[in-house]
Amino acid sequence: MNFKFKKYWRKTGLSPKWGNKLIEIIYEKKPHHFLEIGVFCGVTSRNICEFLNLIHNGNFTYTGIDLFGNESDDNNEKKPVYIKHQKFSNPLKHLYYNLIINENLNSLESVKKFLINFDDQVTLYKGNSNKVLKNLNIEKIDFAFIDGGHSYETTLNDIEIVHQNMKGKKGTIVCDDYQDASYITDVKKAIDYYVKKENLSLRIIDGKFAVIEF
Ligand SMILES: C[S@@+](CC[C@H](N)C(=O)[O-])C[C@H]1O[C@@H](n2cnc3c(N)ncnc32)[C@H](O)[C@@H]1O
């Protein structure tokens, strides 16, 4: 497989090491209908679209959900400071994005523009997954990457709705941040609870990705 996860000079939730691991799982499963909860600045989304385009020759869809700047009404969620103030460790990015073009990379408009080559395949929703997800038709989704709100309630909501829609078909759900960060404990609790309740198979990759496959 000759594909390398790129950062595209934006901000990314996944490092290239983890981006490449996600791409490996996608290569293993070869899904046609991808859902990402927690799009952030669209870097993982863009890599996924480039990769699915390569292996399926345009025959795929990508659906993304994010608050895109809306406040979460989940009291257990703290908005990361880098999203609130668009902080960059690279001063050139600060100069370019904040002072010259004044673009919020975690906005619907910015991500839409960034994914413009896949306009026919991409659908983006702005809102809280706790509300948006239950009103969407996601029956065709065969692969979901869950990386939005990291509270127990939101993680459980996202896994449950996605899995209920996938039931009876082959599918994969990958959740980020299973137990790699000591300050994020709710994700693991929610996954362990749901997997046990539904008797699902769970594979943990290096303590970070939880892969639920059925
Ligand atoms: C860790 S970042 C996602 C990183 C992204 N998957 C990547 O690989 O670059 C989490 C994102 O989830 C979004 N988010 C947080 N809570 C959410 C919720 N309840 N519904 C939808 N999006 C949410 C935030 O706005 C943020 O952009």
Side-chain angles (χ1 to χ4, degrees):
M1 185 188 50
N2 192 14
F3 185 92
K4 291 274 166 284
F5 186 93
K6 296 183 198 66
K7 287 163 81 175
Y8 293 105
W9 216 66
R10 283 172 81 89
K11 277 183 91 68
T12 170
L14 292 182
S15 65
K17 173 189 156 192
W18 282 101
N20 284 321
K21 281 201 194 268
L22 181 62
I23 294 290
E24 268 173 40
I25 306 171
I26 299 172
Y27 183 57
E28 191 188 312
K29 305 289 182 185
K30 299 190 176 54
H32 279 89
H33 301 291
F34 200 101
L35 171 70
E36 182 178 23
I37 304 178
V39 170
F40 189 33
C41 304
V43 171
T44 297
S45 330
R46 170 79 176 264
N47 278 280
I48 289 165
C49 287
E50 298 281 358
F51 186 66
L52 290 178
N53 194 41
L54 198 69
I55 64 171
H56 292 317
N57 200 15
N59 181 21
F60 74 97
T61 64
Y62 168 94
T63 304
I65 302 172
D66 200 287
L67 294 166
F68 288 125
N70 276 4
E71 290 293 333
S72 163
D73 36 21
D74 183 341
N75 292 332
N76 300 317
E77 292 285 351
K78 280 199 195 74
K79 193 168 187 171
V81 72
Y82 57 82
I83 293 187
K84 225 174 191 169
H85 304 297
Q86 185 153 272
K87 287 209 165 144
F88 295 102
S89 49
N90 180 343
L92 287 178
K93 286 190 187 175
H94 171 67
L95 179 71
Y96 181 68
Y97 288 117
N98 289 340
L99 304 178
I100 299 178
I101 66 167
N102 194 17
E103 178 169 330
N104 174 3
L105 299 182
N106 177 229
S107 64
L108 182 63
E109 298 70 29
S110 175
V111 174
K112 236 176 163 345
K113 194 169 67 177
F114 183 53
L115 300 179
I116 197 72
N117 288 351
F118 305 105
D119 214 22
D120 290 344
Q121 290 92 351
V122 169
T123 312
L124 296 172
Y125 294 95
K126 174 173 175 157
N128 189 326
S129 62
N130 290 291
K131 292 183 181 149
V132 171
L133 212 45
K134 55 176 174 269
N135 297 317
L136 284 189
N137 183 351
I138 53 164
E139 272 175 17
K140 64 180 180 186
I141 296 298
D142 50 4
F143 195 118
F145 179 48
I146 298 184
D147 190 21
H150 285 54
S151 70
Y152 181 85
E153 292 73 18
T154 302
T155 306
L156 188 56
N157 168 81
D158 294 356
I159 298 176
E160 189 158 35
I161 297 185
V162 168
H163 177 242
Q164 293 304 321
N165 274 278
M166 285 177 162
K167 253 186 173 168
K169 295 173 281 181
K170 263 182 128 31
T172 309
I173 300 173
V174 176
C175 302
D176 193 17
D177 298 316
Y178 179 73
Q179 60 184 30
D180 69 317
S182 56
Y183 54 92
I184 303 175
T185 51
D186 281 9
V187 172
K188 180 177 184 313
K189 272 190 216 149
I191 295 169
D192 289 348
Y193 166 77
Y194 191 75
V195 160
K196 193 166 174 212
K197 179 165 96 70
E198 295 284 322
N199 196 19
L200 295 167
S201 115
L202 177 64
R203 170 161 61 114
I204 306 300
I205 303 186
D206 290 349
K208 182 170 163 72
F209 283 164
V211 184
I212 304 169
E213 44 208 342
F214 38 89

